[in-house]
Amino acid sequence: MALTALEIYKNLPKTNCKECGFPTCLAFAMQIAQKKVELGKCPHVSEAGKAALEGASAPPIRLVTIGAGGKKLQIGQETVLFRHEETFHHPAGLAIEVSDALGDAELDAAIREVDALQFERVGTTIEIDLLALRHESGDPARFRQAAEKAKAGCRYPLVLMSEDPEALAQALEATKDDKPLVYAATHDNYEKVAALAKAAACPLAVRAEGPEELADLTQKVAALGVQDLVLDPGSASLAKGLADHTTIRRAALRKTYRALGYPTIAFAASGDPYQETAEAATYMAKYAGIVVMKGRERWQIMPVLTARYNIYTDPQKPIQVQPGVYAIGDVTPNSPVLLTTNFSLTYYTVAGDVENSRVPSYIVVADTEGTSVLTAYASEKLTADRVAAMLTEDGGIKDKVSHKKIIIPGLIAVMTAKLKDNSGWDVVVGPKESAGIPKLLRAWSA
Amino acid sequence: MPIPDIKEKWGSKINTVTIGAEGKRPVQVGGEDSLPFLHFEGATPNQPVIAMDVLDVEPVEWPEALSALFGAALKSPADWAKQCVEEFGADMICLKLQSIHPDFGDATPQQAAAVVEAVAKAAPVPLIVWGCDDDAKDNAALPAVSQVLKGQRALIGTAKQDNYKTLTACCIADGHNVMCESPLDINIAKQVNILVSDMGFPPERIVIFPTTGALGYGIEYAYSIQERGRLAALGGDTMMAMPVLCMVGKEAWSAKESKAPDAEVPEWGPQAERGPAWEATTATVLLQAGADILVMRHPKAVAATRKYIGTLVG
């Protein structure tokens, strides 16, 4: 919750001593409110004032970091219930569960498969975030050994899943520098497990049945000095999970209820691979900070990662594809060339219609800063000069085709003459609606 | 320990729309008085339903992995519709009149009406009938279609901001529901509902089609527009309180992730699972934004989505 300057001012010494570098306490308060200076600049603020200000200015959902080095996952610090209100900030982590009860060969294979869960999408890599190692062997030494294997064989940080403090202690000894998520403190073991997480300085998951019991337990765990918590409401079904995760997010944001002010973890574990995929996608949309799946088939993981990518896209920014030349189908030097903009919806529509035509073609995607054809033209981001530059650029489209004919969107037909003069290409005015592209391309090839 | 009460107190609910006549397994959609599937807050009196796509011409753009499942039935809209209901459990049939489009056969209104009549006779479920999106042809054909379905309380579309009068007038005369289309724009969605209602058409016979984006291809726009629309409706905006229809199958099967054959993208897993998973995940995400009618294609995706809805409705 952002504080106003006056609310901050009430907690300052009001002596106008200027030691903070500002003429008055009120001026200082205004600077804090705008997040331009830190409260620490005031040498005289009382402990009570400090506590009041820090407590009130802390984000309603804590930011928790799992892992160290290159593949860190940061979750939490969300500010809204609906993405259109602002945006969702920290994409939920996808964890893949692996059991330590597997034989060595199976375990190694599982770790390798999890390590390879990356996918390419129009210029972006999407990938999973965590390997969740579940202690099912009953043997703490095996859990440690499996954790060592996972640490060595998988690029992603770990979730160490066990309720046995001894097993967690052993696995943490081997992996604590990588800051795994310790899962989980429960009503039965929380004193020991919280002590382990605290000593290892690792984030800790807390599990209890339902938001009420969770609130109770997180307060006990926080009182033991562990602050980086992840909440598991232990939901027995998807319907319950949807309710639990919604309740936690609303309590944290709408009521600034600190005992539930942490990111959450959800399990997609129905056993049926399609239901598991659907459950995981549901939790991506509805409020989990981490989603754990057991299945790791690539056809299951790709849609879940894509759902996350879409849901966490910032609705305030137009989504763009990388400008450049894209080949659709088995293109040849005689293939038609079409022009469009790099607003993702525009590009996807055009690319889809070109694919539907089954006529292999090139699409030249102009950098219009993510605006659609008419908007780009009106704001001079799609001009004859810019398009001509793309057509005549060395290494660009002119080196890929043996003809000089460009199909432009019907909405910018007015550019035809100038584009022809500036580029030396013949300009064909295409349809105003992308849906007309297949007809044009089929006639072209006929 | 008790935690703060976070229940929303919505004052309004979504209209309940009935599609289909007595004896034809009529479906009711809408009626929600909370955000999707939140039982602690409100009821989902009518669970979301699944319609399956039928085209009046054999689809040429469908990948083999999809079309092979229907076999020869794809050549006959009536057989195809029957198969969707009997084998794949479709709650409704969504018949697309592709053949009336000037580029796809330019069929006459009489021919269109004959196809619709045959499908209505073959399928023991309610019909959604969709024009060809060429306004002139739709305005010529849909009156004939509406008439041949008189009394069957079909859902016919689409009414658009600049072309709604003919369809609305037919649906008033013949007792059908109207589908109002808008291009991923919440203001236009509301505007079309107002225009159609202003002709004296009852709002509780309108279904919103806000345009659908597939997973990976603009679904986030559809998601937020549906979510905003639902919040507005629950907050009391009666011109947004209509159930929502999503073209899940059409969009999901335009995506490379479902269409590409195994040889092309071995790293994405087998198309036999990848395709339906892409379609089912598209449905999942849209259900979380308040979809009431899903129009789908792959039997496996239909079955998975039905099971998913079942676990959420309880």
Side-chain angles (χ1 to χ4, degrees), chain A residues 36-87:
Chain A
K36 286 185 179 162
V37 292
E38 298 275 321
L39 178 65
K41 289 260 182 195
C42 174
H44 303 299
V45 63
S46 67
E47 283 305 315
K50 215 188 221 168
L53 286 175
E54 279 172 357
S57 61
I61 299 176
R62 190 176 174 87
L63 186 69
V64 173
T65 303
I66 298 160
K71 292 286 181 196
K72 267 192 304 211
L73 173 69
Q74 289 200 310
I75 51 171
Q77 219 173 81
E78 295 300 338
T79 53
V80 291
L81 281 158
F82 306 107
R83 58 187 292 283
H84 64 261
E85 293 175 322
E86 185 175 306
T87 183

Side-chain angles (χ1 to χ4, degrees), chain A residues 345 433, chain B residues 130 133 157-164 167 178-196 206-213 218 221-222 224-226 228-229 239-240 242-247 251:
Chain A
L345 280 189
E433 297 288 336
Chain B
W130 203 292
D133 300 317
T158 61
K160 302 184 196 115
Q161 190 178 19
D162 49 8
N163 184 43
Y164 60 92
L167 177 61
V178 167
M179 182 153 47
C180 291
E181 174 176 358
S182 45
L184 284 177
D185 183 315
I186 192 164
N187 299 313
I188 297 177
K190 181 169 173 174
Q191 179 65 15
V192 187
N193 294 338
I194 292 171
L195 291 169
V196 169
I206 293 176
V207 169
I208 298 175
F209 172 54
T211 301
T212 305
Y221 291 88
S224 283
I225 279 168
Q226 287 180 208
R228 285 169 66 195
M239 278 299 125
M240 288 304 289
M242 294 76 176
V244 167
L245 176 143
C246 298
M247 290 301 276
E251 296 300 328

Side-chain angles (χ1 to χ4, degrees), chain A residues 81-85 118-122 211-213 215-216 219 237-239 242-244 246-247 250-251 254-255 257 259-260 272 274-275 277-279 281-282 285-287 297-300 302-304 306-307 310-311 313 315 317-319 343-345 348 352 355-358 438-439 442, chain B residues 1-8 10 35-41 60-63 103-104 184 214-221 223-224 227-228 231 254-257 259 266-270 272-274 276-278 280-281 284-285 287-289 300-301 303-305 307-309 311-313:
Chain A
L81 281 158
F82 306 107
R83 58 187 292 283
H84 64 261
E85 293 175 322
Q118 302 97 32
F119 301 87
E120 288 300 321
R121 266 196 69 73
V122 213
E212 290 81 4
E213 289 200 20
D216 197 26
Q219 286 175 323
S237 68
L238 181 64
L242 187 61
D244 287 344
T246 302
T247 300
R250 282 190 189 171
R254 292 264 160 89
K255 309 287 178 184
Y257 183 60
L260 293 175
D272 169 333
Y274 278 88
Q275 296 309 308
T277 302
E279 285 176 26
T282 304
K286 296 289 167 76
Y287 308 141
E297 296 293 340
R298 298 181 73 85
W299 61 265
Q300 284 183 286
M302 189 167 65
V304 173
T306 308
N310 289 155
I311 293 290
T313 296
K317 291 183 194 153
I319 318 160
F343 174 44
S344 66
L345 280 189
Y348 289 142
E355 266 185 46
N356 283 341
S357 77
R358 304 211 173 155
K439 196 181 169 197
R442 282 181 199 133
Chain B
M1 68 189 292
I3 61 169
D5 179 14
I6 48 77
K7 280 195 197 69
E8 297 282 355
W10 305 110
L35 290 170
F37 313 112
L38 292 180
H39 303 300
F40 65 83
E41 196 160 279
V60 286
E61 283 153 12
W62 286 26
D103 293 346
F104 297 94
L184 284 177
L215 183 66
Y217 300 85
I219 200 172
E220 64 274 28
Y221 291 88
Y223 184 89
S224 283
E227 204 165 51
R228 285 169 66 195
L231 288 166
S254 301
K256 189 179 175 194
E257 285 81 351
K259 271 199 321 196
E267 71 282 9
W268 286 355
E273 310 288 2
R274 166 165 43 88
W278 201 259
T281 308
T284 298
V285 171
L287 281 167
Q288 286 301 327
K300 227 173 185 173
T305 303
K307 190 169 169 190
Y308 171 78
I309 292 168
T311 59
L312 281 172
V313 173

Side-chain angles (χ1 to χ4, degrees), chain A residues 430-441:
Chain A
K432 287 184 180 165
E433 297 288 336
S434 169
I437 288 175
K439 196 181 169 197
L440 175 78
L441 291 181

